[in-house]
Amino acid sequence: MAEGASVVFKLYCLAVLTVMAASYTVLMRYTRTVEGVRYYSTTTVFVTECAKMFFTLCILLKEHKGSIRKVTQELKGNIVGKPMEMLKMSVPSIVYAIQNNMTFIGLSNLDAATYQVTYQMKIPCTALLSVMMLGRSLSSMQWIAVFVLTGGVILVQGIGGEAVSHTSGTEGSYVVGLTALTIAVFCSGFAGVYFEKLLKGSDTSLWVRNVQMYTWGMLSAFLGVVMHDWQNVRENGFLYGYTPLVWLVVLLGSGGGIYTSIVVKYTDNIMKGFAAAAAIVLSTVASIMFMGLVVGWMFVLGASLVIAAIFLYGLPKTNTEKLPARKSGTAQNV
Ligand code: C5P
């Protein structure tokens, strides 16, 4: 893929990512709470990492016009030949593995609305970490936009007033769910920004970075299986409870991961949050128009806040394909 991707391409990636992420959340929750047999979520995280590795290798093979020899050479040079780079990629990868396991715990213990609302804390958390770790600078107006966006999404997601109620699970599991999700929020922000730093701070291609990352991802996810579900897996099998819908969760999770990496390369982690919010609003508007969905004032207010935030942030003008250049220790505005 060419440097300096077109706006249409960026919008396409953001739209696909959002649709995948939304369906992933709904389906993951459905398979954990409604379907009969409980599959082991640690195995799903592992299988998803393997699927991402498989897709990434296919893309690399396509980029090298089907030459397995060239792909092997490139990977050897970047994995065996650059152990330090490989080691650095273990950080976001392991943190993502923790995040992916925590979201399963969160979704298994909280109702969908509480989950969605709490998870939106990713937006300010990611913005703060982008400033601290990438030297990006946000104007006061952009900071206001970040918080307006967070408030807007919370209102939009809280349609029907169920946002603050916790209808599923016991009090104990509610605390477990919220704690897991809070950890997931920090992991999401930190791993996303760290991955962006490594990706944009070197010439190593996105797909090679992904192979490095998914190698660690597979290892740490496997460790998760061993530590948490090994006895169960030995008794019932690795793929116990895998219905076609669980495979769909794997497919959406892996596709979502790959698109996340593309979006981070061509835009940035903060914009990813803005796009996700805009898409939630757009999909709800589509449901109102075509499926007769009825929404209350909370949605109208939330949607207005999201739109206002996009303009306040100055989204169309912002180009963050490269990291801000640091001049004598201070970060430039991007
Ligand atoms: O919730 P959030 O947007 O932070 O989730 C990002 C997801 O994208 C994680 O599940 C992570 O495993 C995945 N990802 C990936 N490849 C990357 C970067 C992120 O699969 N290069």
Side-chain angles (χ1 to χ4, degrees):
M1 259 170 278
E3 273 300 326
S6 71
V7 174
V8 175
F9 175 74
K10 289 179 188 180
L11 286 177
Y12 158 79
C13 292
L14 285 164
V16 175
L17 172 62
T18 307
V19 171
M20 279 191 170
S23 1
Y24 176 70
T25 309
V26 172
L27 255 185
M28 194 214 264
R29 182 173 161 74
Y30 181 82
T31 56
R32 291 305 284 169
T33 53
V34 179
E35 278 205 319
V37 178
R38 271 239 179 172
Y39 58 96
Y40 308 124
S41 62
T42 52
T43 64
T44 319
V45 174
F46 174 74
V47 177
T48 305
E49 288 302 309
C50 296
K52 286 191 281 191
M53 178 66 104
F54 174 74
F55 290 138
T56 303
L57 289 175
C58 289
I59 295 168
L60 263 178
L61 200 59
K62 186 170 173 274
E63 283 199 341
H64 286 292
K65 299 189 171 54
S67 165
I68 295 180
R69 191 179 55 84
K70 281 189 184 155
V71 173
T72 317
Q73 258 177 4
E74 183 168 12
L75 290 182
K76 222 170 129 188
N78 282 288
I79 292 177
V80 186
K82 293 181 182 166
M84 269 319 283
E85 289 302 302
M86 186 65 195
L87 203 63
K88 280 188 207 161
M89 281 309 279
S90 68
V91 178
S93 178
I94 291 168
V95 177
Y96 267 137
I98 298 172
Q99 180 209 349
N100 289 332
N101 281 291
M102 290 298 144
T103 47
F104 264 105
I105 299 177
L107 264 181
S108 310
N109 290 288
L110 298 171
D111 61 280
T114 308
Y115 172 88
Q116 290 288 8
V117 169
T118 313
Y119 211 30
Q120 300 316 322
M121 289 305 144
K122 277 194 311 187
I123 301 171
C125 180
T126 302
L128 186 67
L129 289 169
S130 295
V131 169
M132 286 164 56
M133 291 166 60
L134 301 180
R136 221 156 239 156
S137 66
L138 296 190
S139 64
S140 333
M141 195 55 91
Q142 285 179 316
W143 271 118
I144 293 172
V146 165
F147 285 103
V148 170
L149 183 78
T150 311
V153 186
I154 288 177
L155 286 182
V156 167
Q157 298 276 19
I159 298 167
E162 53 177 345
V164 287
S165 70
H166 41 97
T167 50
S168 77
T170 61
E171 200 62 37
S173 64
Y174 183 73
V175 173
V176 170
L178 265 191
T179 310
L181 211 54
T182 308
I183 297 173
V185 163
F186 281 104
C187 288
S188 160
F190 178 80
V193 174
Y194 199 92
F195 175 72
E196 187 178 343
K197 188 179 169 81
L198 292 180
L199 182 67
K200 296 179 179 170
S202 78
D203 292 333
T204 311
S205 86
L206 169 66
W207 303 113
V208 170
R209 280 293 187 206
N210 274 352
V211 171
Q212 292 175 331
M213 182 133 125
Y214 301 149
T215 306
W216 289 109
M218 283 163 60
L219 282 173
S220 43
F222 190 72
L223 205 68
V225 178
V226 172
M227 281 170 24
H228 200 260
D229 285 316
W230 194 238
Q231 200 50 39
N232 292 330
V233 163
R234 283 187 60 162
E235 273 169 25
N236 299 315
F238 201 86
L239 301 180
Y240 175 75
Y242 273 55
T243 59
L245 277 185
V246 178
W247 283 109
L248 196 55
V249 169
V250 168
L251 196 68
L252 288 169
S254 49
I258 302 262
Y259 268 95
T260 297
S261 68
I262 300 174
V263 162
V264 169
K265 175 166 172 67
Y266 292 108
T267 65
D268 67 39
N269 277 289
I270 305 180
M271 271 194 229
K272 181 162 83 71
F274 272 86
I280 291 166
V281 172
L282 285 179
S283 59
T284 313
V285 170
S287 310
I288 296 169
M289 286 166 61
F290 302 114
M291 284 155 42
L293 180 76
V294 180
V295 292
W297 63 270
M298 278 229 287
F299 173 78
V300 178
L301 181 62
S304 315
L305 288 180
V306 168
I307 295 165
I310 289 171
F311 284 100
L312 276 180
Y313 192 85
L315 216 55
K317 290 181 276 158
T318 317
N319 184 355
T320 46
E321 276 186 46
K322 291 197 164 53
L323 290 181
R326 286 172 187 264
K327 272 189 187 162
S328 53
T330 44
Q332 283 182 319
N333 218 334
V334 278

